[in-house]
Amino acid sequence: MNYDASIDAAIQKLHDEGRYRTFIDIERTRGNFPHAVWTRPDGTESPVTVWCGNDYLGMGQNPVVIAAMQEAVERTGAGSGGTRNISGTTVYHKRLEAELADLHRKESALLFTSAYIANDATLSTLPKIFPGLIIYSDSLNHASMIEGVRRNGGAKRIFRHNDVAHLRELLQADDPALPKLIAFESVYSMDGDFGPIAEICDLAEEFGALTYIDEVHAVGMYGPRGGGVTELDGLADRIDIINGTLAKAYGVMGGYIAASAKMCDAVRSYAPGFIFTTSLPPSVAAGAAASVRHLKTAQELRDRHQTQARILKTRLKGMGLPFIDHGSHIVPVHVGDPVHCKMLSDMLLEDFGIYVQPINFPTVPRGTERLRFTPSPVHGPREMDALVHALDTLWSHCALNRAEMIA
């Protein structure tokens, strides 16, 4: 067996399909985000403006967060020293979990190293807690949710994206006596559309199902305290398990679930992804807690974030660009071809100092490749003007005409 040849063939396939992922080497400058420094492959450096980051509110640069992390490092050192069960639970982890439980008005919260792990570990563990569990999963759920459902060994049903009627059909077809759980998202990250939370909660109550929602792209940014779309719509009390992240709006790292004390205790006790993973460094937990606490009273930051998203969408619409608008802060510009998408990304970086990563299959279906922009409160008029000018130039004058780009 020629293993190297197999590796070469697998990598070459990605190149041939235009799906090979290039990691751009950037260095964020404290206090200057979204501006950063790009180190080219030849070692030279160029300034860039980041337009695809998940630090949606710039909290990774916030002095309150940085001070909390520095204080924790000075007091405790770098790492946690172990898993949560073996010396890795500190006052910082407990304070963060208390902040998160309060954020969602739940009895308890459970901290993981990432929201991916939180989804995977929780969804793959629930059938151990509820034997015979059937999970009903939205077809566009995040890869971490799909993986958790796939690995749990239990029954699963996939309902068409946001199709409540199809979900009802699936629920009606199953034994009423079996335990059930509906897993879905509040904001879907690739199109920026919202899940029908109230309608799904109605179905869950009718059929005796638990509800599990991923609020990763909503926590910190929606709701009067940043509790997500469930808080904004007054529905958090109808959700049994809320999943969220600390790596996007909160600007740090980590993931969590918020639920009843019994639910969190059961997941904590049965999930290998929690039991056998070294806990987050205390400094990260401290920074995240400071960020969550700060955003509970920072509505003006959420307002500015939404304003910047509206401005960008208005300007793209005026240019006639094919962007997707479902009313959220996520602004995907449709390209529809992986090679063209990568080419546009490269030209924006090389010629205009604008960094936006191409989004290709398998993150999105083939034929829906896109550039996904994430405007933030720290993208000001100067940055907005530069982006709009660059996009207008490329769409109008580059070798590809618009028809080719959206074909």
Side-chain angles (χ1 to χ4, degrees):
M1 175 68 186
N2 188 334
Y3 293 102
D4 285 343
S6 294
I7 294 172
D8 291 340
I11 296 298
Q12 187 59 47
K13 182 183 180 205
L14 296 178
H15 281 290
D16 294 343
E17 296 177 359
R19 296 195 294 118
Y20 182 76
R21 297 174 188 242
T22 301
F23 297 161
I24 305 301
D25 184 358
I26 65 170
E27 180 179 351
R28 287 161 52 120
T29 306
R30 177 178 170 182
N32 198 35
F33 187 73
H35 301 285
V37 176
W38 167 41
T39 301
R40 299 169 180 265
D42 63 4
T44 59
E45 296 182 343
S46 298
V48 296
T49 302
V50 179
W51 272 97
C52 59
N54 286 333
D55 187 356
Y56 288 131
L57 301 179
M59 289 301 293
Q61 307 286 306
N62 190 287
V64 171
V65 176
I66 293 172
M69 296 183 74
Q70 289 173 333
E71 186 270 343
V73 165
E74 290 298 323
R75 289 177 62 91
T76 69
S80 67
T83 65
R84 288 292 298 273
N85 183 54
I86 305 176
S87 80
T89 294
T90 70
V91 293
Y92 297 99
H93 297 87
K94 299 301 290 184
R95 287 172 187 167
L96 175 54
E97 288 175 336
E99 286 286 355
L100 293 168
D102 172 74
L103 174 67
H104 296 291
R105 306 298 192 194
K106 297 295 185 185
E107 290 179 342
S108 188
L110 192 63
L111 182 62
F112 293 80
T113 51
S114 73
Y116 187 107
I117 298 299
N119 272 333
D120 184 11
T122 303
L123 289 169
S124 63
T125 296
L126 288 175
K128 300 176 185 176
I129 303 168
F130 306 107
L133 179 70
I134 303 172
I135 295 182
Y136 303 80
S137 179
D138 188 287
S139 62
L140 291 189
N141 275 342
H142 188 264
S144 58
M145 301 174 76
I146 294 171
E147 184 66 12
V149 172
R150 184 189 67 80
R151 288 198 313 108
N152 69 28
K156 65 177 182 291
R157 312 283 186 260
I158 310 302
F159 62 93
R160 291 186 293 270
H161 178 54
N162 280 351
D163 191 334
V164 178
H166 187 219
L167 175 58
R168 171 181 284 279
E169 292 176 9
L170 296 175
L171 287 163
Q172 286 176 326
D174 284 319
D175 184 346
L178 289 175
K180 301 172 178 65
L181 179 138
I182 305 170
F184 63 110
E185 300 185 32
S186 62
V187 179
Y188 289 85
S189 62
M190 290 300 108
D191 284 348
D193 56 331
F194 294 90
I197 302 173
E199 293 87 343
I200 288 177
C201 287
D202 289 343
L203 280 181
E205 291 176 5
E206 181 180 347
F207 289 92
L210 296 171
T211 48
Y212 184 107
I213 193 167
D214 180 311
E215 286 258 41
V216 160
H217 289 274
V219 289
M221 296 171 285
Y222 295 86
R225 300 165 72 242
V229 181
T230 51
E231 183 193 37
L232 179 68
D233 293 345
L235 297 170
D237 62 321
R238 301 181 69 187
I239 301 293
D240 294 291
I241 305 174
I242 297 175
N243 168 276
T245 188
L246 303 164
K248 292 183 170 59
Y250 294 116
V252 193
M253 178 186 175
Y256 64 90
I257 61 168
S260 69
K262 287 183 179 180
M263 183 72 77
C264 288
D265 189 25
V267 173
R268 178 189 72 87
S269 301
Y270 280 91
F274 176 86
I275 296 169
F276 299 106
T277 299
T278 298
S279 64
L280 287 173
S283 60
V284 173
S291 186
V292 173
R293 191 161 50 248
H294 178 81
L295 286 180
K296 286 177 181 177
T297 59
Q299 185 58 40
E300 75 287 348
L301 200 57
R302 283 185 280 278
D303 291 341
R304 281 164 45 204
H305 181 224
Q306 293 294 324
T307 297
Q308 291 303 93
R310 284 193 296 270
I311 290 172
L312 178 58
K313 286 186 280 191
T314 298
R315 297 191 67 175
L316 293 179
K317 183 177 181 179
M319 295 163 57
L321 265 63
F323 73 97
I324 303 168
D325 184 10
H326 289 290
S328 75
H329 61 282
I330 295 170
V331 186
V333 174
H334 189 270
V335 178
D337 177 88
V339 175
H340 294 172
C341 198
K342 179 67 165 62
M343 185 182 300
L344 282 169
S345 173
D346 289 345
M347 294 172 73
L348 284 168
L349 185 64
E350 290 277 357
D351 300 339
F352 297 94
I354 290 171
Y355 173 40
V356 56
Q357 193 74 1
I359 307 294
N360 294 329
F361 178 84
T363 306
V364 296
R366 297 181 192 275
T368 69
E369 292 82 5
R370 67 202 61 184
L371 300 175
R372 177 180 171 273
F373 296 94
T374 53
S376 76
V378 293
H379 288 94
R382 180 166 60 93
E383 290 80 11
M384 191 79 72
D385 287 344
L387 173 63
V388 170
H389 168 72
L391 288 172
D392 188 42
T393 300
L394 290 180
W395 241 263
S396 300
H397 302 296
C398 70
L400 306 170
N401 62 45
R402 295 190 187 191
E404 289 178 314
M405 290 182 193
I406 63 174

